[in-house]
mmCIF file of all heavy atoms in Angstrom:
data_model
loop_
_atom_site.group_PDB
_atom_site.id
_atom_site.type_symbol
_atom_site.label_atom_id
_atom_site.label_comp_id
_atom_site.label_asym_id
_atom_site.label_seq_id
_atom_site.Cartn_x
_atom_site.Cartn_y
_atom_site.Cartn_z
ATOM 1 N N CYS P 22 16.326 1.936 25.417
ATOM 2 C CA CYS P 22 17.414 1.071 25.069
ATOM 3 C C CYS P 22 18.300 0.762 26.253
ATOM 4 O O CYS P 22 18.297 1.468 27.275
ATOM 5 C CB CYS P 22 18.321 1.779 24.034
ATOM 6 S SG CYS P 22 17.486 2.292 22.531
ATOM 7 N N ASN P 23 19.034 -0.301 26.144
ATOM 8 C CA ASN P 23 19.944 -0.773 27.218
ATOM 9 C C ASN P 23 21.183 0.127 27.311
ATOM 10 O O ASN P 23 21.365 0.927 26.383
ATOM 11 C CB ASN P 23 20.370 -2.226 27.000
ATOM 12 C CG ASN P 23 19.281 -3.185 27.331
ATOM 13 O OD1 ASN P 23 18.622 -2.978 28.326
ATOM 14 N ND2 ASN P 23 19.143 -4.259 26.601
ATOM 15 N N THR P 24 21.902 0.004 28.314
ATOM 16 C CA THR P 24 23.107 0.773 28.557
ATOM 17 C C THR P 24 24.016 0.769 27.313
ATOM 18 O O THR P 24 24.184 -0.246 26.685
ATOM 19 C CB THR P 24 23.904 0.237 29.747
ATOM 20 O OG1 THR P 24 22.974 0.188 30.872
ATOM 21 C CG2 THR P 24 25.078 1.093 30.123
ATOM 22 N N THR P 25 24.619 1.919 27.025
ATOM 23 C CA THR P 25 25.502 2.156 25.853
ATOM 24 C C THR P 25 24.744 2.195 24.516
ATOM 25 O O THR P 25 25.399 2.327 23.506
ATOM 26 C CB THR P 25 26.662 1.178 25.769
ATOM 27 O OG1 THR P 25 26.211 -0.148 25.339
ATOM 28 C CG2 THR P 25 27.439 1.089 27.073
ATOM 29 N N LYS P 26 23.464 2.098 24.517
ATOM 30 C CA LYS P 26 22.626 2.249 23.301
ATOM 31 C C LYS P 26 21.761 3.443 23.437
ATOM 32 O O LYS P 26 21.364 3.856 24.500
ATOM 33 C CB LYS P 26 21.820 0.974 23.051
ATOM 34 C CG LYS P 26 22.600 -0.264 22.866
ATOM 35 C CD LYS P 26 23.334 -0.241 21.537
ATOM 36 C CE LYS P 26 24.108 -1.510 21.355
ATOM 37 N NZ LYS P 26 24.794 -1.560 20.039
ATOM 38 N N TYR P 27 21.380 4.020 22.280
ATOM 39 C CA TYR P 27 20.556 5.249 22.239
ATOM 40 C C TYR P 27 19.460 5.072 21.271
ATOM 41 O O TYR P 27 19.624 4.541 20.169
ATOM 42 C CB TYR P 27 21.394 6.425 21.822
ATOM 43 C CG TYR P 27 22.600 6.618 22.751
ATOM 44 C CD1 TYR P 27 23.811 5.910 22.510
ATOM 45 C CD2 TYR P 27 22.493 7.428 23.853
ATOM 46 C CE1 TYR P 27 24.881 6.083 23.379
ATOM 47 C CE2 TYR P 27 23.591 7.600 24.706
ATOM 48 C CZ TYR P 27 24.746 6.877 24.461
ATOM 49 O OH TYR P 27 25.790 6.999 25.314
ATOM 50 N N LEU P 28 18.219 5.557 21.638
ATOM 51 C CA LEU P 28 17.053 5.404 20.765
ATOM 52 C C LEU P 28 17.198 6.398 19.648
ATOM 53 O O LEU P 28 17.359 7.614 19.917
ATOM 54 C CB LEU P 28 15.749 5.637 21.542
ATOM 55 C CG LEU P 28 14.450 5.296 20.783
ATOM 56 C CD1 LEU P 28 14.432 3.828 20.455
ATOM 57 C CD2 LEU P 28 13.286 5.669 21.689
ATOM 58 N N ASP P 29 17.284 5.992 18.400
ATOM 59 C CA ASP P 29 17.520 6.857 17.306
ATOM 60 C C ASP P 29 16.316 7.747 16.962
ATOM 61 O O ASP P 29 15.161 7.349 17.276
ATOM 62 C CB ASP P 29 17.906 6.078 16.044
ATOM 63 C CG ASP P 29 18.790 6.800 15.045
ATOM 64 O OD1 ASP P 29 19.180 7.968 15.325
ATOM 65 O OD2 ASP P 29 19.079 6.272 13.985
ATOM 66 N N ILE P 30 16.515 8.866 16.393
ATOM 67 C CA ILE P 30 15.523 9.883 16.076
ATOM 68 C C ILE P 30 14.526 9.314 15.080
ATOM 69 O O ILE P 30 14.879 8.821 14.000
ATOM 70 C CB ILE P 30 16.118 11.149 15.477
ATOM 71 C CG1 ILE P 30 16.980 11.842 16.550
ATOM 72 C CG2 ILE P 30 15.071 12.133 14.971
ATOM 73 C CD1 ILE P 30 17.792 13.024 16.016
ATOM 74 N N GLY P 31 13.238 9.375 15.413
ATOM 75 C CA GLY P 31 12.151 8.985 14.498
ATOM 76 C C GLY P 31 12.068 7.473 14.218
ATOM 77 O O GLY P 31 11.372 7.088 13.326
ATOM 78 N N THR P 32 12.778 6.647 14.995
ATOM 79 C CA THR P 32 12.728 5.197 14.788
ATOM 80 C C THR P 32 12.513 4.473 16.110
ATOM 81 O O THR P 32 12.457 5.139 17.168
ATOM 82 C CB THR P 32 14.022 4.683 14.174
ATOM 83 O OG1 THR P 32 15.092 4.680 15.151
ATOM 84 C CG2 THR P 32 14.480 5.466 12.945
ATOM 85 N N THR P 33 12.449 3.199 16.050
ATOM 86 C CA THR P 33 12.461 2.331 17.213
ATOM 87 C C THR P 33 13.759 1.572 17.349
ATOM 88 O O THR P 33 13.805 0.596 18.079
ATOM 89 C CB THR P 33 11.233 1.343 17.198
ATOM 90 O OG1 THR P 33 11.389 0.580 16.011
ATOM 91 C CG2 THR P 33 9.933 2.092 17.140
ATOM 92 N N ASN P 34 14.803 2.069 16.714
ATOM 93 C CA ASN P 34 16.077 1.395 16.733
ATOM 94 C C ASN P 34 17.023 1.930 17.768
ATOM 95 O O ASN P 34 17.061 3.089 18.030
ATOM 96 C CB ASN P 34 16.789 1.593 15.378
ATOM 97 C CG ASN P 34 15.983 1.098 14.180
ATOM 98 O OD1 ASN P 34 15.286 0.129 14.303
ATOM 99 N ND2 ASN P 34 16.113 1.772 13.062
ATOM 100 N N CYS P 35 17.703 0.975 18.418
ATOM 101 C CA CYS P 35 18.768 1.309 19.390
ATOM 102 C C CYS P 35 20.087 1.248 18.670
ATOM 103 O O CYS P 35 20.391 0.312 17.949
ATOM 104 C CB CYS P 35 18.761 0.335 20.569
ATOM 105 S SG CYS P 35 17.278 0.474 21.558
#
Side-chain angles (χ1 to χ4, degrees):
C22 303
N23 283 322
T24 306
T25 72
K26 298 290 182 178
Y27 303 87
L28 192 62
D29 207 5
I30 294 173
T32 73
T33 59
N34 300 327
C35 293

